[in-house]
PDB file of all heavy atoms in Angstrom:
ATOM      1  N   ARG F  73     -30.838 -73.261  42.136  1.00  0.00           N
ATOM      2  CA  ARG F  73     -31.796 -72.385  42.834  1.00  0.00           C
ATOM      3  C   ARG F  73     -32.325 -71.265  41.917  1.00  0.00           C
ATOM      4  O   ARG F  73     -33.511 -71.021  41.920  1.00  0.00           O
ATOM      5  CB  ARG F  73     -31.101 -71.719  44.000  1.00  0.00           C
ATOM      6  CG  ARG F  73     -30.944 -72.573  45.234  1.00  0.00           C
ATOM      7  CD  ARG F  73     -30.472 -71.742  46.441  1.00  0.00           C
ATOM      8  NE  ARG F  73     -30.189 -72.575  47.565  1.00  0.00           N
ATOM      9  CZ  ARG F  73     -29.148 -72.540  48.320  1.00  0.00           C
ATOM     10  NH1 ARG F  73     -28.162 -71.614  48.072  1.00  0.00           N
ATOM     11  NH2 ARG F  73     -28.995 -73.307  49.338  1.00  0.00           N
ATOM     12  N   SER F  74     -31.456 -70.695  41.172  1.00  0.00           N
ATOM     13  CA  SER F  74     -31.932 -69.581  40.306  1.00  0.00           C
ATOM     14  C   SER F  74     -32.491 -70.042  38.990  1.00  0.00           C
ATOM     15  O   SER F  74     -33.254 -69.283  38.394  1.00  0.00           O
ATOM     16  CB  SER F  74     -30.752 -68.690  40.052  1.00  0.00           C
ATOM     17  OG  SER F  74     -29.785 -69.282  39.200  1.00  0.00           O
ATOM     18  N   GLY F  75     -32.126 -71.222  38.559  1.00  0.00           N
ATOM     19  CA  GLY F  75     -32.582 -71.692  37.279  1.00  0.00           C
ATOM     20  C   GLY F  75     -31.779 -71.114  36.108  1.00  0.00           C
ATOM     21  O   GLY F  75     -32.079 -71.280  34.939  1.00  0.00           O
ATOM     22  N   VAL F  76     -30.675 -70.367  36.444  1.00  0.00           N
ATOM     23  CA  VAL F  76     -29.938 -69.682  35.420  1.00  0.00           C
ATOM     24  C   VAL F  76     -28.527 -70.336  35.378  1.00  0.00           C
ATOM     25  O   VAL F  76     -27.903 -70.603  36.409  1.00  0.00           O
ATOM     26  CB  VAL F  76     -29.739 -68.249  35.844  1.00  0.00           C
ATOM     27  CG1 VAL F  76     -28.812 -67.523  34.789  1.00  0.00           C
ATOM     28  CG2 VAL F  76     -31.101 -67.530  35.825  1.00  0.00           C
ATOM     29  N   GLY F  77     -28.040 -70.635  34.153  1.00  0.00           N
ATOM     30  CA  GLY F  77     -26.780 -71.158  34.020  1.00  0.00           C
ATOM     31  C   GLY F  77     -26.622 -72.646  34.369  1.00  0.00           C
ATOM     32  O   GLY F  77     -25.474 -73.054  34.591  1.00  0.00           O
ATOM     33  N   VAL F  78     -27.667 -73.302  34.339  1.00  0.00           N
ATOM     34  CA  VAL F  78     -27.661 -74.820  34.714  1.00  0.00           C
ATOM     35  C   VAL F  78     -27.012 -75.530  33.424  1.00  0.00           C
ATOM     36  O   VAL F  78     -27.649 -75.355  32.405  1.00  0.00           O
ATOM     37  CB  VAL F  78     -29.037 -75.318  35.040  1.00  0.00           C
ATOM     38  CG1 VAL F  78     -28.926 -76.808  35.330  1.00  0.00           C
ATOM     39  CG2 VAL F  78     -29.639 -74.557  36.217  1.00  0.00           C
ATOM     40  N   ASP F  79     -25.945 -76.243  33.615  1.00  0.00           N
ATOM     41  CA  ASP F  79     -25.293 -76.892  32.566  1.00  0.00           C
ATOM     42  C   ASP F  79     -25.676 -78.433  32.729  1.00  0.00           C
ATOM     43  O   ASP F  79     -25.099 -79.132  33.653  1.00  0.00           O
ATOM     44  CB  ASP F  79     -23.727 -76.785  32.772  1.00  0.00           C
ATOM     45  CG  ASP F  79     -22.959 -77.425  31.742  1.00  0.00           C
ATOM     46  OD1 ASP F  79     -23.492 -78.327  30.989  1.00  0.00           O
ATOM     47  OD2 ASP F  79     -21.738 -77.174  31.659  1.00  0.00           O
ATOM     48  N   PRO F  80     -26.487 -78.876  31.809  1.00  0.00           N
ATOM     49  CA  PRO F  80     -26.930 -80.303  31.887  1.00  0.00           C
ATOM     50  C   PRO F  80     -25.756 -81.317  31.897  1.00  0.00           C
ATOM     51  O   PRO F  80     -25.865 -82.308  32.634  1.00  0.00           O
ATOM     52  CB  PRO F  80     -27.890 -80.469  30.657  1.00  0.00           C
ATOM     53  CG  PRO F  80     -28.291 -79.063  30.315  1.00  0.00           C
ATOM     54  CD  PRO F  80     -27.141 -78.149  30.705  1.00  0.00           C
ATOM     55  N   GLU F  81     -24.701 -81.029  31.127  1.00  0.00           N
ATOM     56  CA  GLU F  81     -23.595 -82.002  31.096  1.00  0.00           C
ATOM     57  C   GLU F  81     -22.956 -82.023  32.374  1.00  0.00           C
ATOM     58  O   GLU F  81     -22.649 -83.111  32.869  1.00  0.00           O
ATOM     59  CB  GLU F  81     -22.511 -81.469  29.967  1.00  0.00           C
ATOM     60  CG  GLU F  81     -23.050 -81.356  28.560  1.00  0.00           C
ATOM     61  CD  GLU F  81     -22.775 -82.598  27.798  1.00  0.00           C
ATOM     62  OE1 GLU F  81     -22.240 -83.572  28.286  1.00  0.00           O
ATOM     63  OE2 GLU F  81     -23.421 -82.659  26.648  1.00  0.00           O
ATOM     64  N   GLU F  82     -22.719 -80.889  33.071  1.00  0.00           N
ATOM     65  CA  GLU F  82     -22.123 -80.952  34.456  1.00  0.00           C
ATOM     66  C   GLU F  82     -23.037 -81.623  35.454  1.00  0.00           C
ATOM     67  O   GLU F  82     -22.562 -82.347  36.308  1.00  0.00           O
ATOM     68  CB  GLU F  82     -21.851 -79.548  34.922  1.00  0.00           C
ATOM     69  CG  GLU F  82     -20.951 -79.457  36.122  1.00  0.00           C
ATOM     70  CD  GLU F  82     -20.436 -78.148  36.461  1.00  0.00           C
ATOM     71  OE1 GLU F  82     -20.819 -77.103  35.789  1.00  0.00           O
ATOM     72  OE2 GLU F  82     -19.641 -78.134  37.387  1.00  0.00           O
ATOM     73  N   VAL F  83     -24.352 -81.371  35.344  1.00  0.00           N
ATOM     74  CA  VAL F  83     -25.320 -82.016  36.230  1.00  0.00           C
ATOM     75  C   VAL F  83     -25.200 -83.535  36.070  1.00  0.00           C
ATOM     76  O   VAL F  83     -25.144 -84.271  37.102  1.00  0.00           O
ATOM     77  CB  VAL F  83     -26.791 -81.559  35.895  1.00  0.00           C
ATOM     78  CG1 VAL F  83     -27.791 -82.419  36.578  1.00  0.00           C
ATOM     79  CG2 VAL F  83     -26.952 -80.115  36.306  1.00  0.00           C
ATOM     80  N   ILE F  84     -25.178 -84.042  34.852  1.00  0.00           N
ATOM     81  CA  ILE F  84     -25.188 -85.527  34.636  1.00  0.00           C
ATOM     82  C   ILE F  84     -23.791 -86.030  35.124  1.00  0.00           C
ATOM     83  O   ILE F  84     -23.741 -87.088  35.706  1.00  0.00           O
ATOM     84  CB  ILE F  84     -25.480 -85.785  33.176  1.00  0.00           C
ATOM     85  CG1 ILE F  84     -26.890 -85.542  32.843  1.00  0.00           C
ATOM     86  CG2 ILE F  84     -25.105 -87.296  32.805  1.00  0.00           C
ATOM     87  CD1 ILE F  84     -27.989 -86.305  33.691  1.00  0.00           C
ATOM     88  N   ASN F  85     -22.776 -85.320  34.830  1.00  0.00           N
ATOM     89  CA  ASN F  85     -21.419 -85.811  35.249  1.00  0.00           C
ATOM     90  C   ASN F  85     -21.298 -85.831  36.791  1.00  0.00           C
ATOM     91  O   ASN F  85     -20.762 -86.849  37.330  1.00  0.00           O
ATOM     92  CB  ASN F  85     -20.307 -84.923  34.692  1.00  0.00           C
ATOM     93  CG  ASN F  85     -20.125 -85.142  33.207  1.00  0.00           C
ATOM     94  OD1 ASN F  85     -20.467 -86.165  32.641  1.00  0.00           O
ATOM     95  ND2 ASN F  85     -19.575 -84.139  32.537  1.00  0.00           N
ATOM     96  N   PHE F  86     -21.865 -84.872  37.459  1.00  0.00           N
ATOM     97  CA  PHE F  86     -21.818 -84.866  38.890  1.00  0.00           C
ATOM     98  C   PHE F  86     -22.738 -85.984  39.425  1.00  0.00           C
ATOM     99  O   PHE F  86     -22.336 -86.745  40.316  1.00  0.00           O
ATOM    100  CB  PHE F  86     -22.373 -83.541  39.456  1.00  0.00           C
ATOM    101  CG  PHE F  86     -22.352 -83.450  40.943  1.00  0.00           C
ATOM    102  CD1 PHE F  86     -21.200 -83.285  41.718  1.00  0.00           C
ATOM    103  CD2 PHE F  86     -23.608 -83.604  41.606  1.00  0.00           C
ATOM    104  CE1 PHE F  86     -21.253 -83.272  43.093  1.00  0.00           C
ATOM    105  CE2 PHE F  86     -23.661 -83.602  42.989  1.00  0.00           C
ATOM    106  CZ  PHE F  86     -22.499 -83.407  43.710  1.00  0.00           C
ATOM    107  N   TRP F  87     -23.882 -86.144  38.872  1.00  0.00           N
ATOM    108  CA  TRP F  87     -24.836 -87.175  39.370  1.00  0.00           C
ATOM    109  C   TRP F  87     -24.130 -88.579  39.110  1.00  0.00           C
ATOM    110  O   TRP F  87     -24.271 -89.461  40.016  1.00  0.00           O
ATOM    111  CB  TRP F  87     -26.089 -87.107  38.570  1.00  0.00           C
ATOM    112  CG  TRP F  87     -27.326 -87.755  39.171  1.00  0.00           C
ATOM    113  CD1 TRP F  87     -27.327 -88.900  39.971  1.00  0.00           C
ATOM    114  CD2 TRP F  87     -28.700 -87.314  39.160  1.00  0.00           C
ATOM    115  NE1 TRP F  87     -28.664 -89.222  40.392  1.00  0.00           N
ATOM    116  CE2 TRP F  87     -29.474 -88.214  39.896  1.00  0.00           C
ATOM    117  CE3 TRP F  87     -29.312 -86.200  38.587  1.00  0.00           C
ATOM    118  CZ2 TRP F  87     -30.831 -88.032  39.987  1.00  0.00           C
ATOM    119  CZ3 TRP F  87     -30.662 -86.089  38.694  1.00  0.00           C
ATOM    120  CH2 TRP F  87     -31.393 -86.980  39.434  1.00  0.00           C
TER     121      TRP F  87
END
Side-chain angles (χ1 to χ4, degrees):
R73 279 187 186 138
S74 70
V76 177
V78 178
D79 180 348
E81 300 268 353
E82 189 171 9
V83 166
I84 291 302
N85 289 336
F86 179 78
W87 201 326

